[in-house]
Coordinates of all heavy atoms in Angstrom, one line a residue:
G1 N 244.2 141.6 78.8 CA 244.6 143.0 78.9 C 245.8 143.2 79.7 O 246.1 144.4 80.0
Y2 N 246.5 142.2 80.1 CA 247.6 142.4 81.0 C 248.7 143.2 80.2 O 249.0 142.9 79.0 CB 248.2 141.0 81.4 CG 249.4 141.2 82.4 CD1 249.2 141.4 83.7 CD2 250.7 141.1 81.9 CE1 250.3 141.5 84.6 CE2 251.8 141.2 82.8 CZ 251.6 141.4 84.1 OH 252.6 141.5 85.0
D3 N 249.4 144.1 80.9 CA 250.4 144.9 80.2 C 251.7 144.1 80.3 O 252.3 144.0 81.4 CB 250.6 146.3 81.0 CG 251.6 147.2 80.3 OD1 252.2 146.8 79.3 OD2 251.7 148.3 80.7
E4 N 252.2 143.7 79.1 CA 253.4 142.8 79.1 C 254.6 143.5 79.5 O 255.6 142.9 79.8 CB 253.5 142.2 77.7 CG 252.4 141.3 77.3 CD 252.6 140.6 75.9 OE1 253.7 140.8 75.4 OE2 251.6 140.0 75.4
A5 N 254.5 144.9 79.5 CA 255.7 145.6 80.0 C 256.0 145.4 81.4 O 257.1 145.6 81.9 CB 255.5 147.1 79.7
N6 N 255.0 144.8 82.2 CA 255.2 144.6 83.6 C 255.9 143.2 83.8 O 256.2 142.8 85.0 CB 253.9 144.6 84.3 CG 253.3 146.0 84.3 OD1 254.1 147.0 84.4 ND2 252.0 146.1 84.3
L7 N 256.0 142.4 82.8 CA 256.7 141.1 82.9 C 258.2 141.3 83.2 O 258.8 142.4 82.7 CB 256.6 140.3 81.6 CG 255.1 139.7 81.3 CD1 255.1 139.0 80.0 CD2 254.7 138.8 82.4
P8 N 258.9 140.5 83.9 CA 260.3 140.6 84.1 C 261.1 140.5 82.8 O 260.6 140.0 81.8 CB 260.7 139.4 85.0 CG 259.6 138.5 84.8 CD 258.3 139.2 84.5
P9 N 262.3 141.1 82.8 CA 263.1 141.0 81.5 C 263.4 139.5 81.1 O 263.3 138.6 81.9 CB 264.5 141.6 82.0 CG 264.2 142.5 83.2 CD 263.0 141.7 83.9
L10 N 263.6 139.4 79.8 CA 263.9 138.0 79.3 C 265.1 137.4 80.0 O 266.1 138.1 80.2 CB 264.1 138.1 77.8 CG 262.9 138.4 76.9 CD1 263.4 138.6 75.5 CD2 261.9 137.2 77.0
P11 N 265.0 136.2 80.5 CA 266.1 135.5 81.1 C 267.3 135.2 80.1 O 267.1 135.3 78.9 CB 265.5 134.3 81.7 CG 264.4 133.9 80.8 CD 263.8 135.3 80.3
E12 N 268.4 134.8 80.7 CA 269.5 134.4 79.9 C 269.1 133.2 79.1 O 268.4 132.3 79.5 CB 270.6 134.0 80.8 CG 271.9 133.6 80.0 CD 273.1 133.3 80.9 OE1 272.9 133.3 82.2 OE2 274.1 132.9 80.4
R13 N 269.5 133.1 77.8 CA 269.2 132.1 76.8 C 267.8 132.2 76.2 O 267.5 131.3 75.4 CB 269.4 130.7 77.4 CG 270.8 130.4 77.9 CD 271.9 130.5 76.8 NE 271.6 129.7 75.6 CZ 272.0 128.4 75.4 NH1 272.7 127.8 76.4 NH2 271.7 127.7 74.3
A14 N 267.1 133.2 76.6 CA 265.8 133.4 75.9 C 266.0 134.4 74.7 O 266.6 135.5 74.9 CB 264.8 134.0 76.9
K15 N 265.5 134.0 73.6 CA 265.8 134.7 72.4 C 264.7 135.7 72.0 O 264.7 136.4 71.0 CB 266.1 133.8 71.2 CG 265.0 132.8 70.9 CD 265.5 131.9 69.7 CE 264.4 130.8 69.4 NZ 264.9 129.9 68.4
G16 N 263.6 135.7 72.7 CA 262.5 136.6 72.4 C 261.1 136.0 72.8 O 261.1 134.9 73.4
V17 N 260.1 136.7 72.4 CA 258.7 136.2 72.7 C 258.2 135.4 71.5 O 258.3 135.8 70.3 CB 257.8 137.4 73.0 CG1 256.4 136.9 73.3 CG2 258.3 138.2 74.2
E18 N 257.6 134.3 71.8 CA 257.1 133.4 70.8 C 256.1 134.1 69.9 O 255.2 134.8 70.4 CB 256.4 132.2 71.4 CG 256.0 131.1 70.5 CD 255.4 129.9 71.2 OE1 254.5 130.1 72.0 OE2 255.8 128.8 70.9
G19 N 256.2 133.9 68.6 CA 255.2 134.5 67.7 C 255.6 135.9 67.2 O 255.0 136.5 66.4
R20 N 256.7 136.5 67.8 CA 257.2 137.8 67.4 C 258.6 137.8 66.9 O 259.3 138.8 66.9 CB 257.0 138.7 68.7 CG 255.6 138.8 69.2 CD 255.5 139.6 70.5 NE 254.2 139.3 71.1 CZ 253.9 139.8 72.3 NH1 254.8 140.5 73.0 NH2 252.7 139.5 72.8
L21 N 259.1 136.7 66.5 CA 260.4 136.6 65.9 C 260.4 135.4 65.0 O 259.5 134.5 65.0 CB 261.5 136.4 67.0 CG 261.2 135.4 68.1 CD1 261.6 133.9 67.7 CD2 262.1 135.7 69.4
E22 N 261.4 135.3 64.1 CA 261.6 134.2 63.2 C 262.2 133.1 64.0 O 263.3 133.2 64.5 CB 262.4 134.6 62.0 CG 261.7 135.6 61.1 CD 262.6 135.8 59.8 OE1 263.6 135.1 59.7 OE2 262.2 136.7 59.0
E23 N 261.5 132.0 64.1 CA 262.0 130.8 64.8 C 263.2 130.2 64.1 O 263.2 130.0 62.9 CB 260.9 129.8 65.0 CG 259.8 130.2 65.8 CD 260.1 130.4 67.2 OE1 261.2 129.9 67.7 OE2 259.4 131.2 67.9
D24 N 264.3 130.0 64.9 CA 265.5 129.3 64.3 C 265.1 127.8 64.1 O 264.6 127.2 65.0 CB 266.7 129.5 65.2 CG 267.1 130.9 65.3 OD1 266.9 131.6 64.3 OD2 267.6 131.3 66.4
E25 N 265.5 127.3 63.0 CA 265.3 125.8 62.8 C 266.5 125.0 63.4 O 267.6 125.4 63.3 CB 265.2 125.5 61.3 CG 264.0 126.0 60.7 CD 263.9 125.6 59.3 OE1 264.8 124.8 58.8 OE2 262.9 125.9 58.6
I26 N 266.1 124.0 64.2 CA 267.1 123.1 64.8 C 267.7 122.3 63.7 O 267.0 121.6 63.0 CB 266.6 122.2 65.8 CG1 266.0 123.1 67.0 CG2 267.6 121.3 66.4 CD1 265.4 122.3 68.1
P27 N 269.1 122.4 63.5 CA 269.7 121.6 62.4 C 269.6 120.1 62.6 O 269.5 119.6 63.8 CB 271.2 122.0 62.4 CG 271.4 122.5 63.8 CD 270.1 123.1 64.2
T28 N 269.5 119.3 61.6 CA 269.4 117.9 61.7 C 270.7 117.2 62.0 O 270.7 116.1 62.5 CB 268.8 117.3 60.4 OG1 269.6 117.6 59.3 CG2 267.4 117.8 60.2
E29 N 271.8 117.9 61.7 CA 273.1 117.3 62.0 C 273.8 118.0 63.2 O 273.7 119.3 63.2 CB 274.0 117.3 60.8 CG 273.5 116.5 59.6 CD 274.4 116.5 58.4 OE1 275.5 117.1 58.5 OE2 274.1 115.8 57.5
T30 N 274.4 117.4 64.1 CA 275.1 118.0 65.2 C 276.6 118.3 64.8 O 277.2 117.7 63.9 CB 275.1 117.1 66.4 OG1 275.8 115.9 66.1 CG2 273.7 116.7 66.8
A31 N 277.1 119.4 65.5 CA 278.5 119.7 65.2 C 279.4 118.8 65.9 O 279.0 118.0 66.9 CB 278.7 121.1 65.8
S32 N 280.6 118.6 65.5 CA 281.6 117.8 66.1 C 282.1 118.4 67.4 O 282.2 119.6 67.5 CB 282.7 117.4 65.2 OG 283.4 118.6 64.8
F33 N 282.5 117.6 68.3 CA 283.0 118.2 69.6 C 283.7 117.1 70.4 O 283.5 115.9 70.1 CB 281.8 118.6 70.4 CG 280.8 117.6 70.7 CD1 280.9 116.8 71.8 CD2 279.8 117.3 69.8 CE1 280.0 115.8 72.1 CE2 278.9 116.3 70.1 CZ 279.0 115.5 71.2
P34 N 284.6 117.5 71.3 CA 285.3 116.5 72.1 C 284.3 115.8 73.1 O 283.4 116.5 73.6 CB 286.3 117.3 72.9 CG 286.4 118.6 72.2 CD 285.1 118.8 71.5
V35 N 284.3 114.5 73.3 CA 283.4 113.8 74.1 C 283.5 114.3 75.5 O 282.4 114.3 76.3 CB 283.7 112.3 74.0 CG1 282.8 111.5 75.1 CG2 283.4 111.8 72.6
S36 N 284.6 114.7 76.0 CA 284.8 115.1 77.4 C 284.2 116.5 77.7 O 284.2 117.0 78.8 CB 286.3 115.0 77.8 OG 287.0 115.9 77.0

């Protein structure tokens, strides 16, 4: 029965609460990038 409104705001890089959004699928191929 805890009121979730009392939880702190979502931190940076948090995309939402689990089970209440469409989960993004992690692609199987990585993007190209400079090694450094």
Side-chain angles (χ1 to χ4, degrees):
Y2 183 85
D3 186 356
E4 296 180 10
N6 294 327
L7 292 174
L10 289 172
E12 184 181 358
R13 300 298 307 269
K15 59 183 178 181
V17 178
E18 185 179 54
R20 301 173 194 174
L21 49 78
E22 292 187 7
E23 297 291 342
D24 295 329
E25 293 186 359
I26 298 178
T28 56
E29 296 183 359
T30 61
S32 60
F33 57 91
V35 172
S36 60

